[in-house]
C-alpha cells in the first residue's frame, strides 16, 4: 500500500463497512493514512466523496495502473482536516466514559466516528471521549448496560441515571 500511496495510484479495495457482514469492492483515490483514536485509516475519495476507511476492515487491496484522481490543491493534510471537521464538528457535547478494555472493539463498532479520544489501558479499562450533538443522545450508551460508566459531564450521568431508573421501573412488574 505504501507504494501505491507514494506513486499516487488508484486502489481497488475490498472493504467491509461496520454495519455489514460482507466486504464490497471499491475503486478509491488515496491521499494517505492517518491514526485516530488508536486506529489507522486510509483517507481516500470514493466516487468523488472523501471517506475514512478503517484499515482493520480492509481485507484486500490492489494497486491499479491509473493515477489517483486527486482534487486539485488537496493534500492528505487538507483532506484529513475536512474529514475531521465533518465527523467531529457534529458533536457539541463531549461525554467521557469508562469501558472495560475488552469492550473497546464493540464501542468502536457502535460509536464509530463519535469516538473522539481513547486513553491507554489502565487497570483493565479505558477512558473514551464520545461526542454527541446534544445530551439526549447519550441514550445510545444504554446498550452497553453495566459495561460502561459515564464520568462527565454530570448532566450526562444524570440523564443516564433517569433513563435507567425508568427502564428498571417499567420492567419490574409483569407486562399487562
Amino acid at each position: 500500500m505504501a507504494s501505491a500511496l507514494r506513486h499516487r495510484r488508484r486502489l481497488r479495495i475490498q472493504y467491509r463497512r461496520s454495519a455489514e457482514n460482507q466486504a464490497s469492492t471499491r475503486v478509491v483515490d488515496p491521499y494517505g493514512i492517518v491514526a485516530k483514536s488508536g486506529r489507522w485509516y486510509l483517507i481516500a475519495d470514493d466516487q468523488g466523496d472523501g471517506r475514512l476507511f478503517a484499515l482493520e476492515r480492509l481485507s484486500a487491496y490492489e494497486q491499479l495502473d491509473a493515477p489517483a484522481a486527486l482534487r486539485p490543491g488537496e493534500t492528505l493534510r487538507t483532506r484529513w482536516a475536512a474529514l475531521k471537521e465533518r465527523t467531529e464538528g457534529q458533536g457539541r457535547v463531549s461525554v467521557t466514559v469508562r469501558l472495560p478494555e475488552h469492550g473497546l472493539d464493540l464501542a468502536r463498532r457502535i460509536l464509530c466516528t463519535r469516538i473522539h479520544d481513547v486513553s491507554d489501558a489502565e487497570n483493565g479499562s479505558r477512558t473514551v471521549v464520545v461526542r454527541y450533538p446534544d445530551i439526549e443522545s447519550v441514550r445510545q450508551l444504554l446498550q452497553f448496560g453495566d459495561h460502561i460508566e459515564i464520568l462527565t459531564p454530570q448532566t450526562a450521568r444524570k440523564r443516564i441515571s433517569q433513563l435507567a431508573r425508568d427502564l428498571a421501573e417499567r420492567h419490574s412488574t409483569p407486562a399487562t
Side-chain angles (χ1 to χ4, degrees):
M1 181 171 292
S3 175
L5 296 173
R6 201 171 313 122
H7 294 102
R8 301 283 187 211
R9 294 293 186 201
R10 277 194 157 166
L11 292 174
R12 178 177 295 120
I13 62 172
Q14 292 289 317
Y15 186 75
R16 182 189 59 79
R17 294 177 63 174
S18 63
E20 298 173 355
N21 294 326
Q22 298 292 323
S24 62
T25 302
R26 299 161 187 261
V27 173
V28 298
D29 299 300
Y31 288 89
I33 58 173
V34 297
K36 178 183 180 344
S37 301
R39 295 174 83 184
W40 286 95
Y41 293 90
L42 170 67
I43 294 182
D45 283 341
D46 181 13
Q47 298 179 354
D49 187 30
R51 295 273 316 273
L52 294 172
F53 296 95
L55 291 186
E56 62 198 30
R57 293 199 311 260
L58 188 71
S59 57
Y61 67 90
E62 173 188 3
Q63 178 178 317
L64 302 177
D65 288 334
L70 303 178
R71 299 172 195 210
E74 293 283 359
T75 64
L76 173 60
R77 182 182 304 260
T78 60
R79 292 308 308 137
W80 175 227
L83 288 168
K84 275 181 35 175
E85 176 60 29
R86 187 171 79 188
T87 58
E88 295 175 1
Q90 300 168 6
R92 293 188 303 268
V93 177
S94 291
V95 178
T96 304
V97 303
R98 183 178 7 248
L99 292 168
E101 187 174 2
H102 62 80
L104 187 57
D105 286 338
L106 177 63
R108 284 185 168 139
R109 284 194 304 271
I110 292 171
L111 302 171
C112 304
T113 59
R114 294 198 180 284
I115 293 178
H116 177 67
D117 190 39
V118 177
S119 74
D120 292 333
E122 187 176 313
N123 298 326
S125 66
R126 291 189 182 243
T127 302
V128 178
V129 176
V130 184
R131 288 199 173 154
Y132 287 112
D134 53 46
I135 205 69
E136 194 61 27
S137 297
V138 299
R139 290 173 173 270
Q140 182 184 35
L141 300 174
L142 285 171
Q143 63 190 304
F144 290 94
D146 63 348
H147 297 288
I148 193 169
E149 179 185 4
I150 297 174
L151 303 174
T152 63
Q154 191 60 35
T155 53
R157 285 181 63 88
K158 183 178 176 183
R159 186 61 183 135
I160 284 291
S161 178
Q162 290 169 339
L163 292 166
R165 268 195 312 276
D166 181 52
L167 192 60
E169 278 181 30
R170 191 173 309 132
H171 292 87
S172 64
T173 59
T176 56

